[in-house]
Amino acid sequence: MSPLPQNKFWTFFLLCCILTFTTLLFSYTFTDPPFHFLKYASRISGSFFSKDICACDSCMADLGEDAWLADHFNLSILPLMTRDSSALSEDTYRWWQWLQREENPANYTQVVEELFRIIPEEGVFMDAGPQRCRTCSVVGNSGNLKGSNYGALIDTSDLVIRMNKAPTKGFEKDVGAKTTHHVMYPESAVDLSNTTSLVLVPFKTLDLQWIISALTTGTIRGTYMPVKSWIKANKNKVVVINPRFIKYVYESWLEGRGHYPSTGFLTLMFALHICDEVSVFGFGADQHGNWHHYWEHNQLAGAFRHTGVHDGDYEYNLTLTLADKHKIQMFRGR
Ligand SMILES: *[C@@H]1O[C@H](CO)[C@@H](O)[C@H](O)[C@H]1NC(C)=O
Ligand SMILES: *[C@@H]1O[C@H](CO)[C@@H](O)[C@H](O)[C@H]1NC(C)=O
Ligand SMILES: *[C@@H]1O[C@H](CO)[C@@H](O)[C@H](O)[C@H]1NC(C)=O
Ligand SMILES: *[C@@H]1O[C@H](CO)[C@@H](O)[C@H](O)[C@H]1NC(C)=O
């Protein structure tokens, strides 16, 4: 019942506090300007100071001291289009219009105006901060998901982002059942459930006109190929990738490789910009080196790797580099 040990404990604790405080104050005042101090502190105490950035163990926006990341990653580029951010510079517009060489495009400004009469305009996802820990699964379509048993793990993420034709029905054990976001363009469109957000990647003005039409009148039936004239999707959850974001990914990340980024790589970059932690599934070849889709039986059917449009090797290399730097976690399947 002696109070002494407790007193000793508190004295010791107080001393520690004073010591820590003065050390920090010293380094703050005398060794580094305030801005550098924060970086310095985050280096020594890692995740503690990361908490200032987000509430996860690791934060996407925490680039540390990595010059490569700082060169490529620009978190102030917003991935989604809003009415305000939809205006494109002459340069960006021309670049974007050249991707699929659309002839006689409609008036972009007018199309965007009409678009936002149909879909909501929210600054969605741009709510990063110390309170947020948003975990995301990006699920590619590789055959390496077959027999992977990743389904349950994929579904634990806050956001599950899939792309193009990806089905879940019948493949739940390996790819999961949850889809919060489905990234597509007119030529790869599929119907969605009411709870899934359709993420349109527009590669031309007609793609914006298509989503308007597919949600309302069904008049557009073809682009450079026949497309779905109607789409089942929740209008209130449709979002559109900003062409400017596509250009940023092409220039800043791909450094001009390929003709333009693939949907897979754009989806990964989308996740990097809206999530705090990103897990990646179904990217790359399977164990036999095949590049097919997980829902295809014929292993050659999806031999799309070298289409001439995308630089798949370079994109995959960047993806691996991000994993090496622990910015994403790669699940390679089998
Ligand atoms: C990031 O993007 C913003 C907005 O376009 C631009 O002003 C800024 O210079 C970019 N930062 C870097 C480091 O490139
Ligand atoms: C497109 O429409 C906007 C607004 O209706 C107009 O100001 C602009 O001049 C048009 N652009 C072209 C290239 O016709
Ligand atoms: C789909 O969700 C919206 C709200 O986002 C709701 O208004 C609508 O009734 C739902 N439709 C169906 C078929 O559940
Ligand atoms: C990516 O490619 C570069 C050379 O182009 C190579 O040095 C590097 O090891 C590759 N990174 C990965 C993760 O494969």
Side-chain angles (χ1 to χ4, degrees), residues 70-71 73-77 244 248 252:
D71 272 353
F73 211 161
N74 189 339
L75 278 159
S76 62
I77 311 275
R244 187 159 158 258
Y248 147 74
S252 203

Side-chain angles (χ1 to χ4, degrees), residues 135-146 148-163 166 173-176 178 264 267-268 271 277-285 294 316 319 328-334:
T135 60
C136 298
S137 289
V138 175
V139 188
N141 293 334
S142 166
N144 70 23
L145 284 167
K146 268 190 209 172
S148 68
N149 271 318
Y150 285 150
L153 179 62
I154 287 171
D155 284 349
T156 59
S157 290
D158 298 325
L159 304 191
V160 178
I161 311 174
R162 304 182 195 274
M163 61 202 78
K173 199 163 179 298
D174 293 332
V175 309
K178 176 172 165 181
T267 304
L268 178 63
E277 285 184 350
V278 173
S279 302
V280 176
F281 302 86
F283 274 54
Y294 62 78
Y316 192 57
T319 308
I328 60 175
Q329 204 181 349
M330 283 277 274
F331 294 83
R332 289 156 189 263
R334 47 190 304 246

Side-chain angles (χ1 to χ4, degrees), residues 62-296:
D62 182 3
L63 302 185
E65 302 273 287
D66 195 308
W68 184 86
L69 282 174
D71 272 353
H72 290 76
F73 211 161
N74 189 339
L75 278 159
S76 62
I77 311 275
L78 306 181
L80 295 178
M81 197 191 263
T82 60
R83 219 185 285 255
D84 285 344
S85 70
S86 66
L88 304 178
S89 71
E90 185 71 31
D91 191 41
T92 303
Y93 176 75
R94 229 180 300 116
W95 177 83
W96 178 65
Q97 203 58 73
W98 160 82
L99 297 185
Q100 295 190 351
R101 303 195 171 87
E102 185 178 18
E103 282 173 36
N104 307 315
N107 184 313
Y108 172 81
T109 315
Q110 284 170 8
V111 172
V112 167
E113 237 169 72
E114 196 187 337
L115 175 69
F116 284 113
R117 283 200 288 271
I118 308 217
I119 67 168
E121 177 183 29
E122 295 164 43
V124 277
F125 308 123
M126 290 301 134
D127 52 354
Q131 313 300 326
R132 191 187 83 174
C133 175
R134 178 180 291 139
T135 60
C136 298
S137 289
V138 175
V139 188
N141 293 334
S142 166
N144 70 23
L145 284 167
K146 268 190 209 172
S148 68
N149 271 318
Y150 285 150
L153 179 62
I154 287 171
D155 284 349
T156 59
S157 290
D158 298 325
L159 304 191
V160 178
I161 311 174
R162 304 182 195 274
M163 61 202 78
N164 297 335
K165 301 279 184 195
T168 51
K169 201 167 157 37
F171 302 94
E172 292 89 347
K173 199 163 179 298
D174 293 332
V175 309
K178 176 172 165 181
T179 308
T180 63
H181 292 77
H182 200 122
V183 180
M184 59 179 77
Y185 47 94
E187 296 83 6
S188 75
V190 290
D191 287 334
L192 302 178
S193 90
N194 199 40
T195 54
T196 300
S197 185
L198 188 161
V199 182
L200 177 74
V201 188
F203 293 112
K204 50 190 174 303
T205 308
L206 184 57
D207 294 353
L208 300 172
Q209 294 169 281
W210 169 80
I211 191 67
I212 297 170
S213 160
L215 293 167
T216 56
T217 59
T219 48
I220 297 179
R221 290 144 183 268
T223 57
Y224 55 81
M225 60 181 269
V227 295
K228 280 172 77 67
S229 48
W230 297 96
I231 190 147
K232 228 173 80 190
N234 186 337
K235 250 188 251 191
N236 299 318
K237 286 179 167 278
V238 174
V239 293
V240 178
I241 297 284
N242 197 323
R244 187 159 158 258
F245 184 76
I246 305 176
K247 187 162 183 271
Y248 147 74
V249 170
Y250 183 67
E251 290 176 345
S252 203
W253 288 93
L254 297 180
E255 299 177 64
R257 259 74 164 209
H259 186 42
Y260 54 90
S262 70
T263 320
F265 195 70
L266 279 168
T267 304
L268 178 63
M269 290 297 129
F270 173 56
L272 253 59
H273 281 252
I274 65 165
C275 307
D276 297 309
E277 285 184 350
V278 173
S279 302
V280 176
F281 302 86
F283 274 54
D286 72 1
Q287 58 187 336
H288 308 294
N290 292 316
W291 292 74
H292 59 292
H293 296 130
Y294 62 78
W295 61 87
E296 286 165 347

